[in-house]
Amino acid sequence: MIPNQWYAVLNSKEVKKGKVIGAKRFGEKLAFWKDKDGNVSCIKDKCCHRGASLSLGKVVDEHLQCPFHGLEYDSTGKVVVIPANGKEAKVPKNFKVNAYPTRDKFGFIWVWFGDFQEDLPAIKFFDIDKKFSYSSFSDHWTVHYTRAIENQLDVSHLPFVHSNSIGRGNKTLVNGPKVEVEDNMIRVWVNNEKDKGQKPLKPDEFPEDIKETELQFRFPNIWQNRLSEKLRIVAAFVPIDEKNTRIYIRFYQKFIRVPGFRRLINSISDIGNKWILGQDKKVVLTQRPIKTELEMGENLFQADLPIITFRRIREKLKSSNSTK
Ligand code: FES
Ligand SMILES: [Fe+2]
């Protein structure tokens, strides 16, 4: 895990107002709740009294109440009421659990994984304005989230894994790809062609005027495929633990704005995207090891430049952001 980052961890809709849900993230069981005003909080899902699961509790005002003996937690993880001691009684300082700063933005729940800081940085997303609508689904993959991310930065697998879908046309030769990095975001321009014996262009020979599909990956865990100005696919690769990842896929469009028709088109796209993701999943789940590192003995080639770039930046961020 890269510390000191905002991670997208759930769809906003999964945490309903006045409700609590449990989810494992970063290898830890967590309880998320939203109060009536929509403020979202996240604390460790284990009561500091006698270990009951807090995600089975309920939201009382802005607090989370343990289902066992009714201890109430605030968003900083502190117990504010021990009912058995009386509501006026002072709560000892050791009655607390770990809490994570949490936000609800861009339709995702975000958790700050790292050192507590007074001024946390702003959460960055993509160039997707309010005119877009989206539909969404998620899937569970039994790999570390690095493998799932790299699959979406892999520009040479399409004619093989997706030969009957998005990889139709046998465009096996990969020009470049052109890769740029700005502000912890990797940008990739793709231009694949049929192999007629020509040499693929080197990344620095990649033509300036090619404005085909652009992939963007923003650290630590979100990705966008800019199919066009009005059409995008976004993914969040959510770390459950070292061996499991939840992938959230969204289809964004702003072509169609008539509500019923919009819903229909968005749902049809979901069906297509589920099928395509299923094609990826079949292969990626066989990759070993299930987690990637900068130095890991794989033999890479020119088309893997986005993956190499991802590994390099991840390594750099891991050491420069490491917790004190
Ligand atoms: S175990 Fe939570 S209040 Fe007792
Ligand atoms: Fe794929």
Side-chain angles (χ1 to χ4, degrees):
M1 299 288 307
I2 306 169
N4 293 322
Q5 302 271 333
W6 284 110
Y7 285 78
V9 295
L10 288 166
N11 254 336
S12 297
K13 286 182 192 149
E14 291 177 275
V15 193
K16 304 201 170 34
K17 276 189 186 171
K19 299 272 186 242
V20 53
I21 68 154
K24 192 176 186 191
R25 298 292 184 258
F26 320 120
E28 187 173 25
K29 282 174 82 183
L30 302 171
F32 295 82
W33 78 95
K34 226 180 237 176
D35 66 21
K36 298 233 158 42
D37 299 323
N39 300 307
V40 64
S41 306
C42 168
I43 62 176
K44 187 184 169 93
D45 190 9
K46 185 179 160 199
C47 185
C48 67
H49 174 220
R50 283 170 54 216
S53 181
L54 294 168
S55 58
L56 295 177
K58 64 179 183 197
V59 178
V60 176
D61 300 323
E62 68 273 30
H63 300 144
L64 177 59
Q65 185 187 63
C66 179
F68 208 171
H69 312 96
L71 264 61
E72 284 181 34
Y73 289 83
D74 71 10
S75 63
T76 68
K78 274 199 253 168
V79 173
V80 289
V81 183
I82 301 175
N85 288 354
K87 61 181 179 215
E88 297 304 326
K90 220 177 149 217
V91 176
K93 279 206 171 68
N94 55 322
F95 276 73
K96 62 172 190 317
V97 296
N98 278 348
Y100 295 89
T102 311
R103 305 276 186 274
D104 184 355
K105 229 176 163 189
F106 310 114
F108 283 112
I109 302 293
W110 305 77
V111 158
W112 177 256
F113 181 83
D115 303 326
F116 183 78
Q117 301 168 12
E118 274 305 322
D119 289 317
L120 292 168
I123 298 167
K124 290 186 181 162
F125 196 56
F126 297 116
D127 58 337
I128 292 176
D129 59 38
K130 293 214 153 51
K131 290 183 187 143
F132 279 92
S133 68
Y134 68 87
S135 55
S136 150
F137 66 91
S138 69
D139 195 22
H140 184 121
W141 284 25
T142 51
V143 287
H144 188 259
Y145 77 123
T146 47
R147 279 292 191 206
I149 289 168
E150 289 184 3
N151 174 57
Q152 300 297 346
L153 292 173
D154 182 324
V155 297
S156 60
H157 77 284
L158 273 80
F160 304 98
V161 173
H162 307 293
S163 59
N164 58 355
S165 58
I166 50 169
R168 250 184 245 122
N170 204 26
K171 293 182 178 175
T172 52
L173 190 110
V174 178
N175 286 317
K178 183 171 151 182
V179 177
E180 282 179 7
V181 179
E182 51 180 62
D183 189 23
N184 284 346
M185 184 163 88
I186 302 174
R187 304 179 66 185
V188 181
W189 288 267
V190 191
N191 174 250
N192 297 356
E193 290 182 312
K194 273 193 180 164
D195 190 346
K196 297 181 187 131
Q198 76 277 37
K199 259 177 124 177
L201 297 175
K202 299 232 160 58
D204 59 359
E205 294 166 343
F206 201 88
E208 276 303 316
D209 57 339
I210 287 190
K211 296 231 175 6
E212 291 186 31
T213 312
E214 180 187 342
L215 305 175
Q216 299 180 337
F217 175 74
R218 189 179 278 291
F219 280 91
N221 72 331
I222 54 170
W223 170 94
Q224 165 176 229
N225 185 349
R226 283 182 106 272
L227 292 163
S228 78
E229 271 309 305
K230 297 185 171 181
L231 205 59
R232 317 290 174 83
I233 296 173
V234 167
F237 309 92
V238 178
I240 296 174
D241 58 24
E242 287 289 300
K243 294 180 177 165
N244 294 280
T245 300
R246 181 127 218 123
I247 304 181
Y248 290 83
I249 301 278
R250 289 183 182 178
F251 170 76
Y252 281 88
Q253 62 86 18
K254 58 176 173 182
F255 281 108
I256 300 151
R257 308 195 52 196
V258 184
F261 191 39
R262 186 173 67 191
R263 219 173 305 127
L264 178 73
I265 292 298
N266 293 355
S267 331
I268 291 170
S269 308
D270 272 356
I271 296 168
N273 286 326
K274 272 182 198 162
W275 177 47
I276 292 162
L277 194 71
Q279 295 182 320
D280 287 311
K281 185 177 183 177
K282 234 181 180 169
V283 179
V284 175
L285 263 49
T286 68
Q287 286 183 279
R288 293 292 177 273
I290 63 171
K291 177 181 181 178
T292 73
E293 306 286 349
L294 183 58
E295 307 287 344
M296 60 184 297
E298 288 185 346
N299 299 302
L300 304 180
F301 45 77
Q302 182 179 292
D304 293 321
L305 184 59
I307 291 169
I308 298 165
T309 309
F310 166 75
R311 291 183 186 178
R312 278 197 193 127
I313 298 177
R314 181 175 147 75
E315 195 59 32
K316 199 181 92 198
L317 287 173
K318 258 170 46 184
S319 44
S320 66
N321 282 22
S322 75
T323 38
K324 290 139 242 158

